[in-house]
Amino acid sequence: MKHHLTHREQKVLWATIDHYIHTAEPVGSKALVSEYDFDISPATIRNVMNMLDRSGLLFQPHTSAGRVPSDSGYRVYVDELIDPASELTYSTHQFLASKSDRLGKSSLDGVMRDVAQILATLSGCIAVITAPNMQTMRIRHLQLVMVDRCKVMAIAVSDTYHTASVTMDLPSETKPEILEGELNILNNFLNEHLRDKNWSELNSALQWDDLDRQFQQYAVLLQQSLQQLMKLCDRTALGQMFISGLTELLRQPEFSNLRQVQNIVQLLEADRASLMALIVDQPTPSTNSVSIRIGSEISIEPIQNCTFISSTYLCDDKPVGTVGVLGPTRLGYTRAIASVQAAALHLTDAISKW
């Protein structure tokens, strides 16, 4: 529903939400007059707040209390009243880069874990980062390695330097000493045909008729290895997640209630499928490539007192993973949006340089 607010109504709504975000206390007209640059009387502000209440943008939690924002009020605030400046996103991006560089680059997973921790601290929320979806990646390198006389390992490296490996028993008819001597030729064959192919094309992209006659005995081994790698890819596509910041969230007064805490912990520890559904089901971004779901806009009932802000990070200009923060509806939206944008930019840069 579109609300057509006057400039005065927008200013009162912005000030009310800004004050509530900082204090977590219902807001009255006197507080707005004393702390914000209004050139109108408290009575006029009360009239405006009454109108905003009737419009469903504010409400009174108790009859004698001041006002607090509704989900609709936060939606107008996010869509029309704030502007997470590019300068803030840029400075946060630079801060992330300097912090994570000092933490090291042992692996892409390590970078994501570090960024999740920093993002949680910056936003005061729970940070959630999904690992790159391997089905969207391309093969950079494939290699078969003898593990012992009875086993061979197939290792695949993606264009983001994510790795997957499976260990296979050698078929009974395969002579290990012969296979070991021919691995280089088989590896060259695999890379010639599969490099730059999508993970989902692992098995179908390879023309088995192209195998020289003397290597046909390995066709079954190769097919089984690639099929196992594809299954591993499917499981990875469900999403490894890096989560940080539960402690940050518990500092918020909204989560002093034990039941609210249990709902969050249940989601993070025992209901990852619902969390992944929330991440994957991204509506059209509403603010500079960031998706923001507020309160009742979230499909998961136990966390409908929360806001989820998310964006995607890219590889070769294609989305491969998601960065998000989960916090109370009463959160610092400008900083949280800038932090999510910065984290997505940072991971996009990290993947491109890895």
Side-chain angles (χ1 to χ4, degrees):
M1 178 180 176
K2 183 72 173 176
H3 295 272
H4 299 284
L5 301 180
T6 66
H7 176 72
R8 175 179 290 176
E9 291 163 351
Q10 288 181 339
K11 187 174 179 181
V12 170
L13 179 61
W14 175 87
T16 303
I17 295 177
D18 183 71
H19 193 278
Y20 183 64
I21 285 172
H22 286 93
T23 66
E25 296 290 341
V27 184
S29 57
K30 290 182 180 178
L32 297 187
V33 169
S34 64
E35 297 184 30
Y36 294 87
D37 184 24
F38 283 104
D39 56 1
I40 53 179
S41 68
T44 302
I45 291 180
R46 277 196 299 275
N47 289 336
V48 175
M49 294 178 83
N50 286 335
M51 190 284 302
L52 294 171
D53 191 319
R54 290 193 298 273
S55 298
L57 302 178
L58 300 177
F59 68 95
Q60 281 182 295
H62 309 290
T63 306
S64 59
R67 261 69 172 200
V68 299
S70 67
D71 292 350
S72 297
Y74 282 122
R75 172 52 62 194
V76 172
Y77 176 78
V78 165
D79 288 348
E80 302 177 30
L81 306 182
I82 62 171
D83 177 21
S86 58
E87 290 82 3
L88 179 57
T89 299
Y90 176 76
S91 62
T92 309
H93 179 33
Q94 295 298 101
F95 174 77
L96 263 170
S98 65
K99 279 283 189 183
S100 58
D101 283 347
R102 285 200 293 272
L103 290 170
K105 286 188 176 181
S106 56
S107 67
L108 187 56
D109 285 359
V111 170
M112 292 186 177
R113 196 170 289 109
D114 294 340
V115 171
Q117 292 172 352
I118 297 168
L119 179 57
T121 302
L122 288 173
S123 64
C125 301
I126 290 175
V128 181
I129 297 177
T130 62
N133 183 334
M134 297 182 78
Q135 288 182 330
T136 67
M137 298 184 211
R138 297 193 175 277
I139 298 295
R140 183 180 291 268
H141 184 71
L142 276 160
Q143 187 163 1
L144 300 176
V145 179
M146 291 291 294
V147 178
D148 58 33
R149 286 185 57 81
C150 301
K151 295 181 184 295
V152 64
M153 179 181 288
I155 304 169
V157 183
S158 76
D159 54 357
T160 60
Y161 291 95
H162 236 67
T163 61
S165 62
V166 293
T167 302
M168 305 289 298
D169 293 325
L170 290 178
S172 56
E173 67 274 10
T174 303
K175 293 183 169 63
E177 61 277 7
I178 296 177
L179 173 59
E180 191 168 11
E182 295 176 338
L183 279 180
N184 280 341
I185 298 173
L186 283 172
N187 286 332
N188 289 339
F189 169 79
L190 287 172
N191 283 289
E192 179 183 347
H193 286 80
L194 296 178
R195 185 181 288 115
D196 293 329
K197 298 292 185 184
N198 193 281
W199 277 84
S200 59
E201 301 176 288
L202 265 180
N203 205 25
S204 60
L206 204 146
Q207 301 300 312
W208 298 104
D209 292 341
D210 290 346
L211 271 173
D212 290 338
R213 185 172 299 170
Q214 70 266 32
F215 295 115
Q216 285 294 331
Q217 61 177 312
Y218 305 128
V220 172
L221 172 65
L222 293 178
Q223 284 181 303
Q224 289 177 344
S225 298
L226 296 180
Q227 286 167 356
Q228 289 298 316
L229 283 170
M230 286 180 67
K231 286 181 181 178
L232 186 63
C233 162
D234 288 340
R235 289 199 297 273
T236 305
L238 293 176
Q240 180 185 6
M241 284 185 277
F242 302 91
I243 298 174
S244 184
L246 183 59
T247 303
E248 302 290 338
L249 194 70
L250 295 183
R251 293 194 180 105
Q252 306 294 340
E254 288 88 344
F255 297 96
S256 58
N257 181 293
L258 179 60
R259 184 174 181 82
Q260 292 294 344
V261 175
Q262 288 173 332
N263 288 339
I264 295 290
V265 173
Q266 170 78 11
L267 180 69
L268 298 180
E269 293 187 353
D271 197 8
R272 289 287 183 91
S274 292
L275 182 58
M276 181 54 70
L278 173 66
I279 292 168
V280 171
D281 181 27
Q282 293 209 67
T284 303
S286 58
T287 305
N288 194 16
S289 78
V290 173
S291 166
I292 304 169
R293 274 161 285 185
I294 301 169
S296 57
E297 296 171 358
I298 294 177
S299 58
I300 305 170
E301 187 175 346
I303 58 168
Q304 287 184 337
N305 65 328
C306 295
T307 287
F308 185 67
I309 300 172
S310 61
S311 186
T312 55
Y313 61 93
L314 312 177
C315 179
D316 294 332
D317 295 323
K318 294 181 300 184
V320 293
T322 300
V323 178
V325 295
L326 180 70
T329 52
R330 184 199 60 82
L331 59 78
Y333 283 90
T334 302
R335 186 170 186 82
I337 292 168
S339 297
V340 168
Q341 288 175 315
L345 286 170
H346 180 72
L347 288 177
T348 297
D349 287 351
I351 285 178
S352 69
K353 296 172 183 175
W354 204 256

